[in-house]
Amino acid sequence: MERHGKIALEEHFVTPALEHCIAPVGWPPDAWRRVIAGLHDVDERLRQMDALDIERSVLSLGSDGIQGIASHERAIATAREANDALAELVASRPDRFSGFAAIPLQDPGAAADELGRAVGELGFVGALANGFSELEDGSIAYYDQPEYAPFWARVAELGVPFYLHPRNPLPAHSRMYEGRPELLGPAWAFGVETGTHALRLITSGLFDRHPDLQIILGHLGENLPFAIARLEQRIAHREDVAFERPPRTVLRENFHLTISGNYHTASLIGILLELGADRVLFAADHPFERMEDAARWFDALPISPADRAKIAHGNATRLLGPAMNVDRRAARSILRPDH
């Protein structure tokens, strides 16, 4: 019997060897230990998924992930290690788990190669990057920069989505938050940082070059749906800026938004009016958010059955479908040749 439970797209994992990749932003020690336990515990994850009618979770490293490793060589090696570890986990329950690849965007060519390996050999359904990448010279890289053109060409060629996940700005770029640490992390800074990065992509011409490229943003779109109309209106007055498609159209045609960690009904209704139900996806952000909070809020939303089905699983199946059908026997044989 075919099942139609929810598909959750911003769910995180870690192994003991990868714990150095996960930053405890604003978490008290006891709470952080519970988060780490949740990142490790597969059985408890599955128990909650069963109880909350979550059919599948797409797993990935959380922030800062590979993006916080300034050494190009170490970032490349750690991304490969993380993807191999995630492939083992997915192969243990391919009926319940899928994977977003960790990618070493410190080196755009290596990132393209690792994404190709993760999708083609390991059966992953896309990539997730934790915001900007730190570089060996102390600078940071945003992905609208020209050197990322070959990487985006590879993403478009593979036909998989790219999840732009949050991270905090570096301390050198955080003066506006001095004395107000409560504004860092998911409370505010995550959204500002990630939404601005997404706008850099939108205004760079990336989507003119790759009109089918699909980006995923969490947390109801990192404030973009509520600011994009004013941005477009003001940019329209500039003679030095021109687009084949205006920013609002790009947001509607090249972005998907998840509900992760932002369970505000009025905001969701506004997003449905701005983008339509075909562009919204379910996510729980486990274990950084409570899986139950996401599922219970979503299941009680005052929306139509058709829209609920789209957001719960239909849109994810459409977006990830070809990659989700990859035969994972290849991943098993690569990672466990003795089986």
Side-chain angles (χ1 to χ4, degrees), residues 147-165:
E147 57 265 35
Y148 287 95
F151 169 76
W152 289 119
R154 190 66 186 277
V155 177
E157 176 190 355
L158 291 167
V160 296
F162 178 96
Y163 204 125
L164 185 60
H165 187 260

Side-chain angles (χ1 to χ4, degrees), residues 220-265:
L220 294 183
E222 314 292 5
N223 298 316
L224 282 192
F226 312 104
I228 195 77
R230 175 163 171 77
L231 175 130
E232 181 176 301
Q233 185 261 341
R234 295 312 306 167
I235 286 179
H237 293 279
R238 296 183 62 100
E239 296 181 356
D240 59 336
V241 178
F243 306 105
E244 292 182 15
R245 291 176 297 151
R248 288 179 80 187
T249 301
V250 171
L251 188 65
R252 291 168 175 167
E253 296 180 355
N254 296 94
F255 283 77
H256 288 75
L257 313 182
T258 75
I259 68 169
S260 58
N262 195 349
Y263 313 130
H264 185 234
T265 300

Side-chain angles (χ1 to χ4, degrees), residues 84-104:
D84 285 349
L86 180 53
E88 287 275 15
L89 177 54
V90 170
S92 72
R93 288 301 304 265
D95 58 323
R96 305 303 298 277
F97 297 140
S98 298
F100 280 137
I103 43 177

Side-chain angles (χ1 to χ4, degrees), residues 4 30 96 108 145 149-150 153 163 186 198 210 220 229 281 293 302 305 318 321 335:
H4 292 291
D30 288 348
R96 305 303 298 277
Q145 295 168 207
Y163 204 125
H210 301 291
L220 294 183
L281 306 162
D293 290 346
R318 171 176 50 81
L335 296 167

Side-chain angles (χ1 to χ4, degrees), residues 60-76:
S60 59
L61 277 182
S63 291
D64 296 328
I66 306 304
Q67 277 56 66
I69 302 173
S71 164
H72 290 201
E73 182 177 341
R74 195 158 65 88
I76 293 167

